[in-house]
Amino acid sequence: MTFKEMNAGVMLLSAVVISVWVLMGAVGDPGATVPEVAARLCWAMLASVAFNIVAMIVFAILVSIAQGQELKDERADERDHAVSARAMRNGYVVASAGGAAAIFLWAFGFDFTVGIYVLFGGLMLAGATDAASRLYYYRIG
Amino acid sequence: MGKGQAAISNTIRVLRFNAGEMTQAALAEKVGVTRQTIVAIEQGRYSPSLEVAFRIAAAFGVPLEQVFQWHGQDQ
């Protein structure tokens, strides 16, 4: 496993963990106001950053031990740029769909907080799509 | 990537063998890409840019067509 593949795996794991956390919060407190939901999502973003940092360190150590050599990031070459571009394109499509879905929900009179959750969920799903796409393109081509 | 892999084959493995069992890492170093990219090219999972293709040929000191062969459109 390369550093870039591990990075994509950690991003995917982070998106799943944070999404589940936010979803559990939303289900547990359905009557939350907009400021309460916004504050919860702010914490989720901070938690996502912290989770990524800690998970990267932990997984880098674990993968290094498993492979018997230090896992180092290499300078990106043309294939890395191509993989990155294709993965980001996939992520943008999902993010755009999430944004459109949120606007439609507001347009059809749904509660504002529902749209916020859909928007946030769309962005998390876009991140997961980006990470999964990277793994796919690196592994399968 | 992907679309061109069926039509383009390469002889990098043979050329590495003929070059004194040159490692993929050594070739990657000469060409200026990562070892994973050399692995992907060798396995036909990635079609490199023209520049990298020429760099690979230059690393072995052979013409481009001796490294890559195109099998498309009824040659």
Side-chain angles (χ1 to χ4, degrees):
Chain A
M1 175 181 271
T2 66
F3 186 89
K4 289 181 176 65
E5 287 172 347
M6 187 203 68
N7 192 9
V10 167
M11 281 171 56
L12 185 59
L13 180 67
S14 168
V16 171
V17 169
I18 298 300
S19 297
V20 168
W21 181 50
V22 169
L23 187 65
M24 286 172 64
V27 171
D29 186 14
T33 62
V34 171
E36 286 170 344
V37 170
R40 188 178 296 156
L41 296 183
C42 284
W43 281 113
M45 284 189 283
L46 286 174
S48 176
V49 172
F51 183 93
N52 268 298
I53 292 170
V54 173
M56 280 298 292
I57 293 169
V58 170
F59 276 95
I61 292 169
L62 291 177
V63 173
S64 296
I65 292 169
Q67 292 184 340
Q69 60 180 5
E70 188 183 353
L71 189 65
K72 288 180 180 173
D73 194 12
E74 291 178 281
R75 191 167 54 87
D77 63 12
E78 62 171 39
R79 179 167 172 261
D80 296 315
H81 293 308
V83 166
S84 180
R86 297 176 79 189
M88 275 199 289
R89 179 198 61 191
N90 296 344
Y92 284 141
V93 169
V94 175
S96 301
I103 290 169
F104 276 121
L105 287 173
W106 289 324
F108 285 106
F110 279 81
D111 191 66
F112 194 70
T113 55
V114 175
I116 293 176
Y117 277 126
V118 168
L119 190 59
F120 186 83
L123 293 173
M124 295 305 285
L125 191 61
T129 302
D130 181 286
S133 298
R134 282 171 202 268
L135 282 174
Y136 176 82
Y137 293 137
Y138 274 126
R139 289 278 162 158
I140 295 164
Chain B
M1 294 195 291
K3 288 173 186 170
Q5 67 186 28
I8 298 175
S9 63
N10 69 79
T11 55
I12 294 175
R13 177 71 192 92
V14 175
L15 289 165
R16 284 199 302 111
F17 180 80
N18 292 339
E21 278 288 352
M22 180 193 289
T23 64
Q24 291 170 329
L27 178 59
E29 179 74 29
K30 278 189 170 185
V31 174
V33 297
T34 62
R35 192 183 72 82
Q36 285 71 35
T37 296
I38 294 296
V39 172
I41 294 169
E42 202 171 295
Q43 293 176 347
R45 290 189 290 115
Y46 174 65
S47 297
S49 68
L50 201 53
E51 184 182 346
V52 167
F54 272 111
R55 283 176 186 271
I56 292 170
F60 293 119
V62 297
L64 185 65
E65 59 268 26
Q66 198 174 323
V67 183
F68 295 99
Q69 297 80 40
W70 185 52
H71 306 289
Q73 300 220 331
D74 303 319
Q75 277 191 65

